[in-house]
Every structure is written in structure tokens, then in C-alpha cells.
Amino acid sequence: TPLSLAKAMRMAGDAPDGSPAHLVLQAAQPWSVHTHSLFPTALRAQAVVLMLLGYLLSREPRFYANAVEIFDVWMAFVVPHAVKR
């Protein structure tokens, strides 16, 4: 598969940043702000909706003291878990 070839190239040191092999390896990663552009349009839209939801949730009065932390956890754990290929 392209992924197994890219992994082999990485192990051999032949997958520098920006190479096609590196792009395949990045595309195989779970959703993150860094891999967002590598996901299909529908999943990117889902991620945006989840990001907005997390933002709104973090701004609830009950989370006022920890708004940034709530949003950080949302982005690091909830969105990647919910947005799957």
C-alpha cells in the first residue's frame, strides 16, 4: 500500500518533509489542526462544527475560569476522536 511504502521510505531516511512519502504519512495521522487540510471536505466541515461547539462550550459561565483549558482539551481529544475517516 502507499502507506507501507511511505513507512519503509521513512525508515530508510528517504521521506523528508514535503516529500510525497511524508504527505502520505501525514494523511494517515488522526485529525489535528496540522492534518486538517488532508481530510475530505465533509470531514473538515464536521471538524469545524465541532471546533465551534467546543469554543461555545468553553465560553459557558460555568467554565469561565478554565475556558482556555476546556477548549485545548476539546481540540486535543474530543475532535480527533469524533472525526474519523
Side-chain angles (χ1 to χ4, degrees):
T1 67
L3 181 57
S4 61
L5 291 173
K7 286 179 179 179
M9 291 177 73
R10 180 183 59 197
M11 294 298 288
D14 293 331
D17 288 353
S19 69
H22 182 258
L23 184 61
V24 169
L25 293 168
Q26 287 295 104
Q29 297 297 312
W31 183 92
S32 73
V33 295
H34 303 291
T35 61
H36 179 80
S37 64
L38 301 174
F39 276 72
T41 304
L43 292 177
R44 289 195 316 265
Q46 179 185 0
V48 169
V49 169
L50 288 167
M51 284 186 262
L52 292 172
L53 181 62
Y55 176 81
L56 292 173
L57 180 65
S58 71
R59 298 309 185 250
E60 286 279 317
R62 61 188 160 173
F63 298 126
Y64 180 74
N66 302 98
V68 173
E69 292 86 354
I70 294 290
F71 187 68
D72 288 347
V73 168
W74 186 269
M75 293 296 291
F77 296 100
V78 175
V79 180
H81 184 72
V83 179
K84 302 278 187 193
R85 293 181 203 260

